[in-house]
């Protein structure tokens, strides 16, 4: 039986395929850490040997001829039975060329596993003619982790689905608010089209943006109205000022610098 092995040589990562019996003896010369990849076709006895190898992490890259969900759940059941606590990263290979299609794939095939506590992260690999940028894949991966409540890296938005009572262009307004405030991890902003259901649906948000009259918006802090009847054209700037007044604001430049330092570290 073979595992795909990532051998970490200081800052260089090389991928080598080794029979598992060799890995149980010693690491390849010069290697200081290793990561193991399994594809779901291994038997329980083979997967159990991961505990003896003691890798820094396990990549789960399910074979194309197996069900992503069923094979992954089987692996995690074996991990639980064998008391294997090594961090597990979903190695998802995609041929999707449309961003919406990719989002649906990740949500159904990986997100459902992560929300159940099966896995610690995701690695997205493009296969074939796909050509997403590294930045897009990075943001998509972090968005998935945030949606699964695993890591908060940006503002959380709550929005109503829109109906006949909506008093502004919900999509356009939400995009504008996202552009202005989307860099604030730990902050939740609710965008609600009307006063009827909005306050109840956004009860857990830090800040609320609610249509109250044609052309007018009320702003909330928690469940309390703090600014009333603000003209639509001024409401986004007023929301930014409100977030600042409660000490929850960071400039975009400051956030980017902190992120770069974190990555470099």
């Amino acid at each position: 039986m073979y595992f795909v092995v990532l051998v970490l040589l200081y800052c260089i990562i090389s991928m080598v395929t080794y029979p598992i019996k060799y890995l149980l003896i010693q690491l390849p010369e010069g290697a200081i850490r290793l990561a193991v990849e399994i594809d779901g076709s291994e038997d329980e006895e083979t997967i159990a040997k991961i505990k003896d190898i003691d890798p820094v992490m396990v990549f789960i890259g399910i074979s194309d001829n197996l069900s992503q969900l069923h094979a992954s759940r089987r692996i995690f059941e074996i991990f639980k039975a064998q008391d294997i606590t090594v961090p597990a990263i979903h190695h998802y290979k995609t041929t999707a060329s449309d961003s919406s299609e990719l989002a649906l794939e990740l949500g159904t095939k990986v997100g459902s596993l992560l929300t159940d506590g099966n896995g610690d992260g995701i690695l997205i690999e493009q296969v074939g003619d796909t050509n997403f940028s590294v930045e897009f894949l990075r943001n998509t991966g972090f968005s998935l982790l945030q949606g699964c409540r695993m890591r908060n890296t940006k503002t959380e938005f709550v929005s109503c689905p829109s109906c006949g009572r909506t008093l502004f262009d919900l999509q356009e307004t939400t995009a504008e608010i996202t552009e202005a405030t989307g860099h604030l991890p730990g902050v939740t902003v609710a965008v609600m089209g009307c006063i009827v259901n909005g306050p109840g649906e956004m009860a857990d948000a830090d800040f609320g943006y609610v249509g109250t009259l044609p052309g007018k918006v009320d702003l909330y802090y928690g469940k309390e109205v703090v600014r009333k009847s603000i003209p639509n054209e001024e409401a986004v700037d007023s929301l930014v000022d409100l977030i600042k007044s409660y000490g929850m604001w960071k400039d975009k430049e400051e956030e980017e610098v902190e992120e770069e330092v974190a990555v470099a570290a």
Side-chain angles (χ1 to χ4, degrees):
M1 178 61 66
Y2 284 73
F3 276 134
V4 174
V5 179
L6 297 177
V7 181
L8 309 184
L9 304 171
Y10 299 97
C11 293
I12 301 174
I13 300 177
S14 60
M15 182 174 288
V16 188
T17 302
Y18 276 96
I20 189 170
K21 62 181 181 180
Y22 293 152
L23 293 176
L24 292 176
I25 299 172
Q26 63 180 12
L27 287 173
E29 183 178 355
I32 57 174
R33 296 177 295 171
L34 65 84
V36 173
E37 177 160 298
I38 55 180
D39 66 11
S41 65
E42 302 85 0
D43 57 34
E44 183 169 351
E45 181 181 357
T46 300
I47 294 176
K49 287 183 170 62
I50 290 174
K51 193 170 185 179
D52 300 319
I53 297 171
D54 192 27
V56 292
M57 66 184 70
V58 175
F59 288 94
I60 298 176
I62 300 301
S63 176
D64 291 339
N65 62 346
L66 296 176
S67 163
Q68 176 83 22
L69 288 176
H70 292 87
S72 296
R73 290 192 186 281
R74 170 181 170 269
I75 290 170
F76 284 104
E77 285 299 318
I78 294 173
F79 281 7
K80 183 177 180 181
Q82 298 292 333
D83 194 27
I84 297 172
T85 58
V86 177
I89 308 299
H90 292 281
H91 181 186
Y92 186 75
K93 303 178 182 69
T94 181
T95 58
S97 57
D98 178 77
S99 59
S100 296
E101 182 182 350
L102 176 60
L104 287 172
E105 283 185 4
L106 292 174
T108 55
K109 296 182 179 181
V110 180
S112 55
L113 293 164
L114 293 175
T115 53
D116 287 341
N118 294 324
D120 302 281
I122 182 169
L123 167 65
I124 306 172
E125 178 184 348
Q126 301 182 83
V127 178
D129 297 329
T130 57
N131 192 31
F132 296 117
S133 68
V134 173
E135 182 66 16
F136 171 79
L137 293 176
R138 173 182 174 277
N139 289 335
T140 299
F142 277 124
S143 295
L144 180 69
L145 295 181
Q146 179 152 333
C148 296
R149 299 295 186 267
M150 295 180 65
R151 182 168 180 180
N152 195 310
T153 57
K154 59 184 179 181
T155 311
E156 186 81 11
F157 291 99
V158 179
S159 181
C160 68
S162 184
C163 69
R165 292 189 296 264
T166 301
L167 295 170
F168 52 78
D169 187 317
L170 192 66
Q171 289 184 316
E172 181 180 324
T173 301
T174 300
E176 188 177 354
I177 293 173
T178 300
E179 174 63 27
T181 66
H183 60 286
L184 304 172
V187 175
T188 303
V189 177
V191 185
M192 298 292 160
C194 76
I195 196 66
V196 178
N197 295 323
E201 294 176 354
M202 66 173 203
D204 295 329
D206 299 309
F207 300 94
Y209 182 110
V210 182
T212 50
L213 296 169
K216 301 287 185 180
V217 170
D218 283 359
L219 297 181
Y220 284 66
Y221 176 67
K223 299 178 182 179
E224 180 183 358
V225 182
V226 290
R227 299 186 183 181
K228 296 180 66 68
S229 298
I230 303 168
N232 281 354
E233 58 272 16
E234 301 174 10
V236 175
D237 289 338
S238 186
L239 174 63
V240 171
D241 290 339
L242 182 64
I243 296 173
K244 290 179 178 178
S245 71
Y246 282 94
M248 301 177 72
W249 179 263
K250 287 186 178 182
D251 291 334
K252 286 186 179 181
E253 294 76 13
E254 178 184 346
E255 184 71 17
E256 289 171 0
V257 169
E258 288 183 359
E259 185 174 309
E260 288 174 3
V261 171
V263 171

